[in-house]
Amino acid sequence: MRLIVEILLMGLAVFIGAHLVHGVRVDSYGSAIIAALLIALANATVGFILRIMTFPLNFLTLGLVSFIISVLMIMLVSHFMSSFHTNGFWPAAILAIVLALLKAIFSSIAGTERN
């Protein structure tokens, strides 16, 4: 049940983020849920491998490389989905920040944080 709530909240975060960030477009809430799932999947697979490969650089930059990898995963999903689109690196970077903030807010409100 908690997984379903987290997926729906992340889809809501993508939907809200797309409306807040100029240069990001999502067609519907359903597309936002699919985009959220694909972003999570990309971060868990390709993003994980990239984070392992860039660990020393990530350590030296205090996590900036990890943030850039997250932005690149958003751009990757945008490339493969026609109903979710970002207009380049900067809108995707702003969306990544907005998603992190919204996810933190939703987690505190809905109580979906892990123990």
Side-chain angles (χ1 to χ4, degrees):
M1 183 66 179
R2 186 172 77 189
L3 178 65
I4 294 171
V5 171
E6 287 183 20
I7 290 169
L8 293 175
L9 288 176
M10 191 61 188
L12 182 61
V14 170
F15 190 72
I16 292 170
H19 289 308
L20 291 177
V21 178
H22 182 68
V24 179
R25 176 187 55 83
V26 66
D27 290 346
S28 66
Y29 180 64
S31 297
I33 291 175
I34 293 169
L37 284 170
L38 291 177
I39 290 169
L41 183 64
N43 270 322
T45 55
V46 178
F48 178 73
I49 293 168
L50 289 174
R51 283 180 184 87
I52 289 174
M53 292 173 51
T54 60
F55 177 74
L57 186 59
N58 197 15
F59 182 76
L60 290 174
T61 61
L62 303 174
L64 182 62
V65 172
S66 185
F67 172 71
I68 291 171
I69 290 171
S70 295
V71 172
L72 292 175
M73 295 304 104
I74 290 172
M75 292 176 67
L76 179 69
V77 170
S78 170
H79 178 73
F80 287 112
M81 282 187 70
S82 61
S83 58
F84 172 71
H85 181 71
T86 59
N87 290 334
F89 180 83
W90 292 112
I94 295 169
L95 179 66
I97 293 168
V98 169
L99 289 180
L101 292 172
L102 287 174
K103 188 168 187 219
I105 292 169
F106 291 160
S107 293
S108 66
I109 292 172
T112 58
E113 288 184 8
R114 298 184 183 199
N115 295 332

